[in-house]
Amino acid sequence: MQAVAVRAASRRTANRSQPASPLGEVDPGLIVRLLGQWRFLISLGLDMLGFVAQLVALRRLPLFAVQAIVAGNLAVTAVVASWLIKIQLTWREWLAVAGVVVGVGLLGLSAGAEGATGVSEAFKLALIVAVAGVAVAGVAASKLGNPARTLVLGAVAGLGYGVVAVAARVLPGFSLSELVRDPAAYALAAAGIVSFMLYATALEGGSVTVATAAVVLAETAPPALIGVMFLGDHTRHGLTAVAVLAFILAVACALLLARFGEAGDHSDPADQDRLRSADGEPSTSTVC
């Protein structure tokens, strides 16, 4: 739904002849135009429901488990794409979908309780610096040519979503007085906005599955390492090997689905035309 809305709100064709922007292909006005797309508003509501659930999960499970389970949305994306955009998944892709489900399921079973949330102010300020780094990297990535542009933009957006997860994890509470005083709350808000803008830019002219795959992979591994190294995350006693193997299974299957996203000749031409003219304006994007 976000991909359809982004392509309907895109003005890349109209702006192609204009001088290059300091922000590259990142268009801040795209977010404003998206607010007029009903598909975007519904998808944003779904995102918010998912984020609330993620906040609850981060209070009970380690980051490596929560992020890997969130990464399971890649399998959902592939299955929905096979139905909505008429992409034909082979038996290998269906096995990959099953592998993601099994991997994140085993991670959930092997995860211990989440560690301590108390961190230093320096750690929280470092999250703000990380958001700035994500923004700069995203602008640079937007100037690349496809297919690298979609992949790198998605990965940078994923790193930003990883910052969101870490920041949400270290919040001391959710009262207004706590949030106003905590640098992690500002890092969370800024990372969410920047990451979504970069993700929307990746969707604007590239493969839905590739962009989403890059996001979920990049938002999974770095936060998992940070949780183990700095936040006291751990597995259940004796299940460390299971957790490692499950993580590898989920990532490997996600990579297989990411490679499938490059196969553009499986898409339905009628759906391509529908997406290009969703708001009556032409679009240069190709549905993969």
Side-chain angles (χ1 to χ4, degrees), residues 92-111:
R92 292 184 181 85
E93 281 73 57
W94 284 114
L95 283 179
V97 170
V100 170
V101 174
V102 171
V104 299
L106 289 175
L107 271 173
L109 292 174
S110 61

Side-chain angles (χ1 to χ4, degrees), residues 141-216:
S142 73
K143 299 178 182 179
L144 298 174
N146 267 327
R149 176 178 176 273
T150 299
L151 183 64
V152 177
L153 266 175
V156 175
L159 292 175
Y161 284 127
V163 175
V164 171
V166 174
R169 167 66 181 280
V170 301
L171 288 175
F174 301 112
S175 68
L176 181 60
S177 60
E178 289 175 312
L179 294 176
V180 168
R181 296 195 304 265
D182 201 306
Y186 297 98
L188 187 156
I193 294 171
V194 170
S195 300
F196 186 81
M197 190 178 299
L198 297 179
Y199 181 44
T201 303
L203 291 176
E204 194 175 9
S207 163
V208 176
T209 309
V210 169
T212 306
V215 167
V216 298

Side-chain angles (χ1 to χ4, degrees), residues 11 14 19 30 36 49 71 89 91 136-137 148 168 193 199 206 210 232-233 244 247 255 266 279 288:
R11 291 181 178 172
L30 177 63
L49 286 175
L89 271 67
W91 64 269
V136 172
I193 294 171
Y199 181 44
V210 169
D233 288 348
V244 172
F247 193 90
L255 283 173
H266 288 283
D279 68 340
C288 296

Side-chain angles (χ1 to χ4, degrees), residues 71-83:
N73 76 59
L74 179 58
V76 177
T77 300
V79 172
V80 172
S82 71
W83 163 66

